[in-house]
Amino acid sequence: MVNKRIQELRKLMKEKNIDAYYIPTDDFHASEYVGDYFKCRAYMSNFYGSAGYMLITQEKALLWTDARYFIIAAKAIQNSEVELMKIGEEGVLTFDEYVLKNLHENDTLGFDGRVVSAAKVEHFKDTFQLKYKTDEDLIGQIWKDRPALSDQPAFFLENSITGKSTNEKLKDIREKMNELGADVHVISTLDDLAWI
């Protein structure tokens, strides 16, 4: 199943002139634990751990993850063409090293720009002499039974559970901002938003 999905992705990549496709484990808010809709890396590798990312080229399918997941990742990709890249292990290329060694100037790196941070994109642009295609979710185009985005309404927890009201938390945040001389504090991570 994994190999078939990789072949479908490669076909799309060819059609769209993308030489390599980067698949992170992220949602629109850079959450560590993502909802089912965002489990693109898991869909493409069968590895469901919370940390890792993939790079698919016409020749290779690579999965990077850390030591917490080496055993489970190896089992997940067994009998597929996906190669495990053990982060931090001697002799294993980092993502950057692999891209620098194997992609050429003006090759195109594609990814779903909605789930890659601006900092990561800047890093890519500073590190690699590549072209970028960031406006298409290629995994979404091949994942026919992809779970829908959650449509569950937000709700408030009682103060007896949270310990403080939202107004009290906002007051504390504003006091800290004043202490630090900040006029604005941007909050985008889901856990921070939920806490407030």
Side-chain angles (χ1 to χ4, degrees), residues 9 12-18 20-24 28 37 40 108-116 132-142 146:
L9 178 63
L12 257 185
M13 288 165 58
K14 237 180 200 164
E15 287 171 17
K16 296 176 183 295
N17 296 312
I18 293 172
Y21 198 75
Y22 170 64
I23 309 166
F28 300 151
Y37 176 87
C40 295
T108 299
L109 177 62
F111 50 86
D112 179 355
R114 301 171 303 166
V115 296
V116 177
Y132 297 91
K133 182 135 181 67
T134 65
D135 60 349
E136 287 196 74
D137 173 11
L138 296 189
I139 307 304
Q141 293 180 42
I142 63 170
R146 187 177 192 170

Side-chain angles (χ1 to χ4, degrees), residues 26-152:
D26 259 325
D27 61 14
F28 300 151
H29 302 275
S31 304
E32 181 177 357
Y33 300 99
V34 300
D36 290 343
Y37 176 87
F38 295 99
K39 292 183 178 176
C40 295
R41 193 241 27 239
Y43 177 76
M44 292 303 297
S45 67
N46 207 29
F47 166 57
Y48 282 82
S50 68
Y53 42 89
M54 292 185 78
L55 185 72
I56 309 291
T57 68
Q58 291 300 326
E59 297 80 33
K60 294 279 188 178
L62 305 166
L63 167 67
W64 280 265
T65 193
D66 62 48
R68 295 174 295 168
Y69 294 115
F70 288 170
I71 294 169
I72 196 166
K75 284 183 182 173
I77 63 174
Q78 202 170 6
N79 303 318
S80 79
E81 70 168 278
V82 179
E83 221 176 290
L84 180 59
M85 306 296 280
K86 296 178 177 180
I87 295 172
E89 293 290 293
E90 194 174 328
V92 175
L93 295 177
T94 66
F95 180 86
D96 287 4
E97 289 168 341
Y98 184 87
V99 169
L100 288 167
K101 187 174 178 181
N102 293 282
L103 294 184
H104 306 91
E105 191 172 332
N106 292 321
D107 278 353
T108 299
L109 177 62
F111 50 86
D112 179 355
R114 301 171 303 166
V115 296
V116 177
S117 71
K120 177 64 85 178
V121 173
E122 285 306 310
H123 170 76
F124 286 168
K125 288 181 176 179
D126 290 344
T127 309
F128 313 130
Q129 298 298 312
L130 301 171
K131 293 187 273 186
Y132 297 91
K133 182 135 181 67
T134 65
D135 60 349
E136 287 196 74
D137 173 11
L138 296 189
I139 307 304
Q141 293 180 42
I142 63 170
W143 191 353
K144 301 304 180 209
D145 59 349
R146 187 177 192 170
L149 282 167
S150 174
D151 62 357
Q152 297 301 304

